[in-house]
Amino acid sequence: MFKGLHPIQYGGREVWPLIEGAKGIAASDHMSAGAWAAAGGIGTISAVNADSYDEQGQIIPQIYHARTRPERHKELINYAISGAVDQIERAYDIASGRGAININILWEMGGSQTILREVLERTKGLVTGITCGAGMPYKLSEIAAQYQVSYLPIVSSARAFNALWKRAYSKAPEFLAAVVYEDPWLAGGHNGLSNAEDPKQPQAPYARVKALRDTMRVCGISDSVPIVMAGGVWHLEEWNDWIDNPELGSIAFQFGTRPLLTKESPIPQAWKDRLMELEEGDVLLHRFSPTGFYSSAVRNPFLKALESRSERQIAFSGEAAGDHQSLLDVGVNGRNNLWVTEGDLIRAHEWVKQGFICTLKTPDNTLVFVTPEEMQAIRKDQAACMGCLSQCNFSSWSETGKGMTGRIPDPRSFCIQKTLQDIAHSDNVENNLMFAGHSAYRFKKDPFYSNNFVPSVKELIDRILTGK
């Protein structure tokens, strides 16, 4: 029998311990977050280049006019600030004093601290808390304390939280409202897998969350501070033994994928339709993201093309050495100083016959074979970089120092800003990155969604509270 949930105190009011997971660019906006809060939960606006609106209420396209990356980076920051402020104000109005409104940022997004400070300055009294991951956000607690809001760091291990606590969070413990455990093998979007963890060997979340609670106790953090389980949460009855469990302390639950398929969800209809078609295994944990982090997304043609591109890859040497005794004579535009293995030379000739006649160097001393059209598109996207990340593997942008990472651009990756803007504002779901959690296949199997039923956010939360 499902135990049922109890409301918790957050932001000075009772709310359900149900958090809407933020979903990148324009996939979690004021409509979904406001409705989630109005239903008594904690709605979350993605403050990652959120949409802003003109006087007629139409979305303002984020078009970049500057000629240089540093100038385009300034444009991006201005878009991000105005968009987040617009979304927060609208969500707050929808919530009408119920629930709570959080904002989410990626610490490794370009200009994250500038954007966060300016957004909080312009929305005083409207934001209850900040969730933040994708990196080690040491400054998060300091910024939260400055603006008197809660912070909810997103971590994937007890070790990561311990490092954050010792370096920074212990100085502002009163604003720590919860710790979000985002399971790196189950959650959608960017995941916090460490180099010591095997992406192909998932670990059960219970032991990892218990280890996190044990670490929090050593740090002197009360059991009343919830750990938020994020990733793989669908029916709460499946997590019955987590509720009121003295080993784990207070537990809340985050839903990132299920809110995508609601009436208030802002994603295009084609995206919603695609979610209803997914089978188990259709979501891939991969490392193509220009952030350098692992991430999980639907294995559509966009992702399959990246997989294929990486498979058309060979190592090279600037001189004949070891097994590299064959001179590469295709795909190098007359250059004759690249040496490869005999087997790789045979593979290269086969790829050229298939039309992959161009090569691009990677930061790892390998070559990838691409078509002329692919090469042109890659170079165009790299040149158009606007610095949406603090450091970008795809374009070699860095917002620090000289504006470059010092590594050559990686053609095995992609422009994440371009593809996420496109999928959020068009029906082109097959040729763009489609983030999703690994439980997304359950839309097709769950009787709640039978006959193509799409619930309102309120109907979804009411259903979740039954354990289903």
Side-chain angles (χ1 to χ4, degrees):
M1 180 181 294
F2 178 53
K3 294 177 183 176
L5 292 180
H6 311 291
I8 61 172
Q9 287 290 322
Y10 181 63
R13 62 174 64 96
E14 279 195 347
V15 300
W16 291 114
L18 302 176
I19 298 178
E20 177 195 17
K23 294 166 286 295
I25 293 172
S28 294
D29 74 348
H30 67 279
M31 293 186 292
S32 59
W36 197 275
I42 302 172
T44 309
I45 292 166
S46 173
V48 182
N49 292 105
D51 286 334
S52 52
Y53 305 90
D54 61 21
E55 293 180 355
Q56 287 72 45
Q58 299 300 307
I59 293 172
I60 299 173
Q62 295 190 14
I63 300 171
Y64 295 85
H65 304 282
R67 298 178 66 86
T68 68
R69 286 184 186 177
E71 289 300 316
R72 290 196 294 271
H73 183 60
K74 292 179 182 177
E75 290 181 281
L76 176 132
I77 288 175
N78 289 333
Y79 277 132
I81 293 169
S82 62
V85 171
D86 263 4
Q87 297 295 339
I88 291 165
E89 291 175 343
R90 290 166 181 254
Y92 188 82
D93 287 344
I94 293 171
S96 300
R98 299 184 293 275
I101 299 293
N102 283 352
I103 59 173
N104 172 266
I105 67 164
L106 280 73
W107 195 248
E108 295 300 328
M109 75 180 188
S112 61
Q113 294 187 52
T114 299
I115 293 166
L116 182 57
R117 291 180 188 276
E118 188 62 27
V119 168
L120 293 174
E121 182 67 34
R122 296 189 191 184
T123 59
K124 289 181 177 178
L126 307 185
V127 174
T128 304
I130 315 159
T131 59
C132 181
M136 294 294 280
Y138 292 113
K139 290 280 187 179
L140 177 62
S141 56
E142 176 186 315
I143 296 172
Q146 179 183 348
Y147 290 95
Q148 301 288 292
V149 298
S150 297
Y151 65 99
L152 302 83
I154 301 171
V155 300
S156 293
S157 68
R159 181 180 179 183
F161 177 77
N162 193 46
L164 290 165
W165 178 263
K166 287 184 174 179
R167 179 166 170 178
Y169 295 174
S170 59
K171 300 173 185 177
E174 66 273 28
F175 295 100
L176 177 67
V179 179
V180 181
Y181 169 75
E182 187 175 68
D183 191 280
W185 294 278
L186 295 174
H190 289 104
N191 311 111
L193 274 171
S194 71
N195 292 330
E197 293 164 329
D198 188 342
K200 296 181 180 180
Q201 295 293 326
Q203 298 175 18
Y206 187 94
R208 294 171 67 90
V209 171
K210 183 181 181 302
L212 174 57
R213 176 60 75 188
D214 291 342
T215 297
M216 292 169 65
R217 286 167 177 156
V218 170
C219 295
I221 301 169
S222 169
D223 278 11
S224 63
V225 175
I227 293 175
V228 181
M229 177 61 206
V233 182
W234 197 269
H235 294 157
L236 286 185
E237 65 181 7
E238 298 167 349
W239 302 82
N240 212 26
D241 59 339
W242 289 49
I243 299 170
D244 299 328
N245 185 327
E247 281 193 332
L248 301 181
S250 178
I251 291 289
F253 296 94
Q254 179 168 299
F255 292 83
T257 299
R258 288 191 78 173
L260 283 170
L261 197 57
T262 60
K263 291 176 181 176
E264 293 88 349
S265 170
I267 65 173
Q269 186 61 45
W271 190 345
K272 294 180 180 181
D273 293 342
R274 187 72 179 89
L275 289 171
M276 289 295 295
E277 300 169 354
L278 296 178
E279 302 286 350
E280 189 168 3
D282 279 352
V283 174
L284 177 70
L285 178 61
H286 65 89
R287 208 170 189 179
F288 298 120
S289 171
T291 62
F293 297 121
Y294 282 94
S295 65
S296 293
V298 174
R299 192 169 176 263
N300 60 3
F302 176 85
L303 212 52
K304 291 177 182 177
L306 288 168
E307 290 181 279
S308 298
R309 187 184 303 168
S310 281
E311 290 168 358
R312 295 190 306 273
Q313 181 177 189
I314 58 174
F316 67 87
S317 173
E319 58 185 25
D323 293 337
H324 292 67
Q325 298 292 331
S326 299
L327 186 64
L328 185 63
D329 58 357
V330 292
V332 289
N333 298 323
R335 292 175 293 175
N336 60 357
N337 60 339
L338 300 183
W339 300 82
V340 299
T341 67
E342 181 180 359
D344 282 345
L345 181 62
I346 294 172
R347 295 166 68 208
H349 277 261
E350 184 61 33
W351 293 330
V352 168
K353 289 179 184 177
Q354 296 171 15
F356 302 103
I357 63 175
C358 301
T359 58
L360 292 167
K361 286 186 177 180
T362 78
D364 302 318
N365 286 331
T366 64
L367 294 172
V368 291
F369 283 71
V370 297
T371 65
E373 294 77 16
E374 281 181 300
M375 184 172 73
Q376 183 179 12
I378 289 168
R379 288 180 169 169
K380 180 181 178 181
D381 288 346
Q382 289 171 336
C385 173
M386 72 292 289
C388 71
L389 300 172
S390 61
Q391 294 189 80
C392 177
N393 291 342
F394 179 66
S395 70
S396 293
W397 157 265
S398 173
E399 66 180 11
T400 59
K402 298 180 180 180
M404 297 293 288
T405 63
R407 290 165 58 86
I408 67 171
D410 195 334
R412 297 166 297 187
S413 190
F414 55 91
C415 176
I416 196 165
Q417 175 79 197
K418 174 186 173 183
T419 188
L420 292 181
Q421 287 284 0
D422 195 31
I423 195 171
H425 300 102
S426 77
D427 286 332
N428 189 1
V429 296
E430 295 301 326
N431 298 302
N432 282 301
L433 183 70
M434 188 193 305
F435 280 139
H438 289 260
S439 294
Y441 72 92
R442 298 184 70 168
F443 281 121
K444 188 174 182 179
K445 298 177 178 292
D446 192 331
F448 184 55
Y449 301 95
S450 60
N451 299 316
N452 294 314
F453 173 67
V454 176
S456 67
V457 166
K458 177 65 165 58
E459 289 171 328
L460 175 59
I461 287 184
D462 287 345
R463 175 74 170 188
I464 289 170
L465 288 170
T466 69
K468 295 289 188 181

